[in-house]
Amino acid sequence: MNTFKIAVVPGDGIGLEIVPAALKVADALGEKEGFQLEKEFFPWGAGNYLKNGEFMPVNGLEILKPFDAIFFGSVGLPEVDDTLPAKDYTFKVRTGFQQYVNYRPVRTWPGFHGPLKEKKNIDFVVVRENTEGEFVQVGSQIMPDSPNGMGIDTSVFTRRGIERVAHYAFQLARKRRKKVHHITKSNTLINSLTYWDRLIKEVASQYPDVEHFQMYIDNCSANFVLRPEIFDVVLTTNLFGDILSDLGGAVMGSLGLGGSGNINPEKEFPSMFEPIHGSAPDIAGKNIANPLGTIWSASLMLKHLGEITAAEKLMAAMDKTCSEGILPVDLGGTAGTTEIADAIIQRLEI
Ligand code: NAI
Ligand code: MG
């Protein structure tokens, strides 16, 4: 039996509901498919900050490093400074473990339709550069309280950072429908994103079998709604990808549907799997959060760990559950978080 060591960081808010729900499903799947998740829980996040003054211990990355993967909910609470969750947890893990690919799939689901009712064939992956770009948090506020005050954030795009995520996107496209749209705004960000465009074109030339298109972020946003079927792999920057993947969630029907993986493709460090959304404090503690995006993240984690058949069976069980009309509240259904998980477990094929 394959055993995987999983660091579990449920985080805050609905993370404390959707992560246990997804792990219950993953454990049931493991029993059927012959693998085991050896889990260790870490109560890190904004709640921990309120209690102990830190999101995670200073040696948090050392603690996480020996694990095969990290399964994460989300961090942030209304009573805690909201500049801290990304800075003190999420970005630390993503950059510290060189999880430079943020893999965020978008698709049409069976059993319900999102706001784009007539679009039946949406199936693409947002590949978001995950360690640099607009989110490097290099900058400062100068004389913020004076009439001449200013705030500056600098974007950093490096050759290494661009090329490695571009190669990932083109290799991914080769396994899919062989199309990459690279998203940019180089008509206005004339230093960083013209460099981004140039290097992506250089990488594209090494994949002549993959169609390559360049598209501006503003036009791309419109096309996510108007022509989502044209996309296969959407390669984009850290900030653009953050926004576009929430739009992807909305196109599917809810933010609660989006699964993701923060991937270190070389497997030098553990990768981290989490839903695309935040801790949703507005619905926390009510057992109404949609766990499907988190369960999808579990499927992505299993795939990353090599349990391909199990990962596919998990998706099939989710599809069956939705097809039968067992849907969470955000999709117009009545099933609670735990009920959805139990329904999926009942539909796992042996
Ligand atoms: P959010 O994604 O938590 O919520 C946005 C809206 O979507 C809310 O109305 C919420 O109820 C709904 N929603 C989200 N997930 C859902 C689910 N699974 N089922 C049903 N409805 C769901 O974003 P928001 O409100 O902007 O941020 C809340 C907190 O989460 C903040 O502290 C923010 O910093 C944090 N956050 C953390 C992230 C992470 O840990 N990776 C990512 C995004 C936000
Ligand atoms: Mg986001």
Side-chain angles (χ1 to χ4, degrees):
M1 179 182 295
N2 284 337
T3 301
F4 303 105
K5 286 177 58 156
I6 308 297
V8 182
V9 183
D12 305 300
I14 60 167
L16 298 163
E17 300 164 55
I18 53 182
V19 165
L23 288 174
K24 187 177 175 191
V25 178
D27 283 340
L29 180 66
E31 273 175 36
K32 288 183 192 290
E33 293 294 317
F35 67 85
Q36 200 178 1
L37 302 182
E38 203 178 281
K39 299 179 287 293
E40 193 170 338
F41 286 78
F42 298 98
W44 299 345
N48 193 52
Y49 177 82
L50 286 175
K51 270 195 225 135
N52 306 316
E54 57 188 13
F55 270 68
M56 69 171 163
V58 275
N59 62 341
L61 293 185
E62 272 168 58
I63 295 171
L64 294 176
K65 192 159 182 263
F67 287 88
D68 294 313
I70 303 156
F71 196 61
F72 171 43
S74 58
V75 279
L77 284 175
E79 56 270 44
V80 171
D81 174 0
D82 216 25
T83 64
L84 298 179
K87 179 171 78 66
D88 285 359
Y89 177 73
T90 321
F91 289 177
K92 272 199 177 146
V93 178
R94 288 176 182 173
T95 50
F97 289 160
Q98 290 299 298
Q99 295 165 349
Y100 61 83
V101 171
N102 195 333
Y103 181 101
R104 298 187 156 197
V106 177
R107 67 170 185 139
T108 323
W109 287 68
F112 64 91
H113 50 69
L116 310 179
K117 295 190 181 61
E118 74 289 2
K119 300 286 185 190
K120 309 245 183 301
N121 50 350
I122 303 172
D123 178 12
F124 62 87
V125 181
V126 176
V127 172
R128 160 183 170 189
E129 199 295 317
N130 209 28
T131 54
E132 50 178 54
E134 309 87 342
F135 285 176
V136 290
Q137 305 198 320
V138 175
S140 63
Q141 290 187 359
I142 299 166
M143 299 183 295
D145 300 322
S146 86
N148 298 322
M150 61 178 91
I152 301 168
D153 267 307
T154 308
S155 298
V156 175
F157 289 84
T158 66
R159 176 178 281 278
R160 179 165 171 262
I162 299 167
E163 285 179 349
R164 65 186 183 177
V165 76
H167 279 291
Y168 183 92
F170 281 89
Q171 281 162 23
L172 175 65
R174 270 191 174 155
K175 293 188 221 135
R176 296 178 48 96
R177 300 196 309 280
K178 297 194 168 55
K179 274 203 293 186
V180 172
H181 281 81
H182 108 242
I183 309 307
T184 186
K185 190 66 185 168
S186 48
N187 53 335
T188 49
L189 295 168
I190 59 171
N191 296 299
S192 54
L193 292 193
T194 49
Y195 196 46
W196 165 262
D197 291 352
R198 183 187 129 192
L199 297 186
I200 290 174
K201 278 180 199 152
E202 282 175 21
V203 171
S205 69
Q206 298 169 42
Y207 299 82
D209 52 320
V210 176
E211 275 186 282
H212 168 233
F213 308 87
Q214 179 175 314
M215 188 181 273
Y216 292 129
I217 176 69
D218 32 7
N219 181 26
C220 178
S221 310
N223 276 318
F224 262 37
V225 176
L226 298 173
R227 298 192 301 153
E229 65 281 359
I230 68 168
F231 295 111
D232 179 21
V233 174
V234 177
L235 168 60
T236 190
T237 72
N238 209 337
L239 169 66
F240 294 166
D242 185 16
I243 299 167
L244 279 180
S245 47
D246 268 28
L247 185 54
V251 160
M252 287 191 277
S254 169
L255 285 191
L257 292 169
S260 83
N262 302 277
I263 313 267
N264 172 246
E266 292 76 22
K267 299 194 174 174
E268 285 167 331
F269 300 99
S271 293
M272 177 165 73
F273 299 83
E274 57 169 318
I276 63 163
H277 55 75
S279 54
D282 54 336
I283 58 162
K286 298 180 182 159
N287 193 38
I288 57 168
N290 180 347
L292 292 169
T294 315
I295 298 171
W296 195 355
S297 307
S299 171
L300 295 174
M301 178 171 78
L302 291 172
K303 208 171 163 188
H304 182 77
L305 295 170
E307 293 288 338
I308 313 282
T309 312
E312 282 165 6
K313 287 188 176 174
L314 183 48
M315 293 309 289
M318 277 206 285
D319 283 1
K320 202 153 185 249
T321 305
C322 293
S323 306
E324 290 177 30
I326 303 167
L327 296 172
V329 176
D330 54 321
L331 297 173
T334 54
T337 312
T338 46
E339 280 171 81
I340 299 273
D342 291 339
I344 294 171
I345 290 169
Q346 284 161 16
R347 284 157 187 78
L348 290 170
E349 304 279 339
I350 300 163

